[in-house]
Amino acid sequence: MIASVLAAVLQVSGAQATPYPADMQRAEVCYAHVMLLIEEAARETGRVAGPSWFIRDWWGARLDEAQSTNDRQAEVKAAVAKRATDDAAGFASERTACIQEAIKAGAVPGMEP
């Protein structure tokens, strides 16, 4: 579902899209975005900001059992990482949208969007 929605949005915007497999859902794509963000922060600075963990947990709570397996999460994370290479602007926009959605929903105590 998310693949078709993203394709439509990107088609209207004129951006190139790296399509996700049709069975990937928003929660697992966003979870992968946050996991990549956490890995990047840890690699670059050695520290990860606290809100990242809340946002990760918020998206993680939306994964079903099949989406929570290590193999599936690695598959989704690889697809999201490929998007970062193929369409950096789309990747950044998507990551921001995932983070903002979680914050607006109250994922981070005391943080307003």
Side-chain angles (χ1 to χ4, degrees):
M1 176 173 190
I2 190 167
S4 60
V5 171
L6 285 174
V9 168
L10 291 169
Q11 184 178 21
V12 169
S13 72
Q16 292 293 329
T18 301
Y20 293 120
D23 65 335
M24 287 187 183
Q25 301 296 311
R26 180 161 179 76
E28 59 187 342
V29 169
C30 286
Y31 182 80
H33 268 289
V34 177
M35 292 304 296
L36 289 167
L37 175 72
I38 288 170
E39 290 171 9
E40 291 166 16
R43 190 172 46 251
E44 291 174 9
T45 67
R47 297 176 302 160
V48 179
S52 302
W53 302 112
F54 287 109
I55 293 168
R56 179 208 56 192
D57 291 348
W58 189 86
W59 281 113
R62 280 140 187 82
L63 301 176
D64 64 27
E65 190 173 313
Q67 295 168 327
S68 296
T69 67
N70 289 337
D71 289 344
R72 178 60 179 191
Q73 288 180 4
E75 177 185 346
V76 176
K77 192 161 68 168
V80 172
K82 181 173 179 359
R83 180 165 169 76
T85 302
D86 294 349
D87 178 14
F91 172 86
S93 176
E94 187 175 83
R95 175 181 277 182
T96 299
C98 289
I99 292 167
Q100 288 301 314
E101 182 177 339
I103 291 170
K104 285 179 185 176
V108 183
M111 183 179 271
E112 299 293 322

